Amino acid sequence: MQRSYILGAGILFRAVTTTPMERTHGKERNMSQPDTDTAAQSPSSQQEPQIQTDGRRSHSEQVNQPAQTSQSESSHDGKDEHALHTNLKRGMESRHLQMISLGGVIGTGLFLGSGKSISLTGPSIIFVYILVGVIMFFLMRAIGEMMYRDPSQHTFINFITRYLGNGWGHFAGWTYWAALVLLGMTEITAVSTYFITFFDTFGIDLTHWKWLIELCFLVSLVSINLIAVKVFGEVEFWFSMIKITLICAMIATAVVMIVIGYHYPAVQIHGVDHVSPAGHAGFDNLFANFSFAPNGWMAFLMSFQMVFFAYEMIEFVGVTVSETKNPRKVLPKAINEIIVRVLIFYVGALVAIMCIVPWTSFKPNKDGSFASPFIMMFQYAGLNWASALVFFVVITAAASSLNSLLYSAGRHLYQLAQDSDAPAMRGLAEVSDRKVPAKAIVVSGCMILLSPIINMIPSISSAFVLFSSAASAVVIFIYVLTMFAHRGYCKSADFIADGFLMPAWKVTDWIAIVFFVLVYVTLFLSADTRGSAIAGVVWLVVFGGYCLLHERFENRDLKEALRKTK
């Protein structure tokens, strides 16, 4: 009997301590196998220590593990051979990661939703975008420091498991994947809507083909993700280039209009149910009747959540590191340039818009919607075909978001399958001959494909709207856990003092955490977002509580089994 306990405890202990990177299709493999794409990146890699990658250990084991003290280990720069190993192909290059990180910042919210943000606070929205941008930069620096230490990880979620424990890691992994799928459902709906609107500007009605448009877009993007990661990177590169080109063209147009002192007549703007008044281009439009809270401090406070959701998914670059060439060289540059991109593309675009269109001109339509500021500005400049151009770019922006969500959802489901002992999940932990997690991508795509079916059933559709809104809200939980995981990393033996360090982490981590909590609190203040906020809290209590209790009982059973072996 004692021998059976010893054998059982040994098997259980090995199952718990086997890392996802050590398991391939249920078999153990040699962790010293070099990564053919990156093993030669650092000549000193052979001398450096192996980072602890055990996502299945207890939290106390992870944080309290003694640090190595040999001279070669204390002088390392973190470029150990194992940390660079990945069973996915490093097919993306520096230019891909640069544009992907930029594409993660610029979404459809800037092109279509910035009008509502401007109407809430006027010119002070610029300060809101800058402030939220700085906080998101803190988040990216935290993710960047951990990914720099171990660029073999397929997702930054793994660090939550490593430094906060299996319970929080399980909660974060499944929550984030579910949120990606739900957001993907909303994006595929948005793509078809924008596609129909684009052709409507030419008098072509495609309303009855909405479901087919969604199917074609989804099949095309899934195929792109299945071919090779380099193809995905190339597609995202050009998607981002289209968005950047429109923003630069808009800013250049605004500069010319200001320099020549352009005056425009009253005009009927596409998407506005009333005639927009005549005006002129000039910086005086920006400062006229300036106030930090022209519509009250509550409206000013509400603008923070709107801007925050515009930045959401900026962390996508943290999922691409394990498939990027020379990640330790490329990652710091990509992340450090985020704040510059925020200033140029968000702040620059908003300043240009409000110099041409007075902020007091942004009024809601009867149905509560707002016209695109980009369409307004181009039509004021006499470019009446601008609405078709803007909606074409918006289609590419929504398609880019959906493409990225598919990529990210596939990688997260692949990671969850690697961490799972369930036989049904084992097949999803496989990679194709092209070194992509094909099965995980297809399953995630099939889940997103449920969107057109759900939209056809009114009773289910209303519940879907609530859950998809809650998906955006629960991502805040992931951000908070990521910042706590970063604090755990900085206190652990894995920390390297000469890595890609987060500036003043003891302070900036807490600033970001407090900010994210405050953003979530503001969701309760508005009737539009209160339901999603409540649903998010219920998810945190129910599923989060289950994950923590499961980890507690699992650790208790392990300790009991080990105790009986003594």
Side-chain angles (χ1 to χ4, degrees), residues 223-274:
S223 300
I224 288 170
N225 276 269
L226 292 178
I227 295 173
V229 69
K230 186 174 182 178
V231 175
F232 165 81
E234 199 66 34
V235 170
E236 279 302 297
F237 177 88
W238 289 108
F239 274 157
S240 296
M241 185 65 74
I242 292 172
K243 292 186 284 187
I244 292 170
T245 301
L246 178 64
I247 294 173
C248 291
M250 189 272 291
I251 294 175
T253 302
V255 170
V256 172
M257 293 173 71
I258 293 171
V259 170
I260 66 175
Y262 185 82
H263 286 71
Y264 51 83
V267 62
Q268 179 67 55
I269 302 293
H270 180 86
V272 178
D273 57 10
H274 54 272

Side-chain angles (χ1 to χ4, degrees), residues 200-220:
D200 187 58
T201 59
F202 300 103
I204 302 174
D205 185 12
L206 297 178
T207 305
H208 298 296
W209 300 100
K210 192 174 189 294
W211 65 272
L212 184 59
I213 295 170
E214 294 179 4
L215 179 62
C216 291
F217 262 99
L218 189 59
V219 170
S220 299

Side-chain angles (χ1 to χ4, degrees), residues 63 72 96 353 516:
V63 175
S72 64
H96 294 142
I353 288 169
F516 293 142

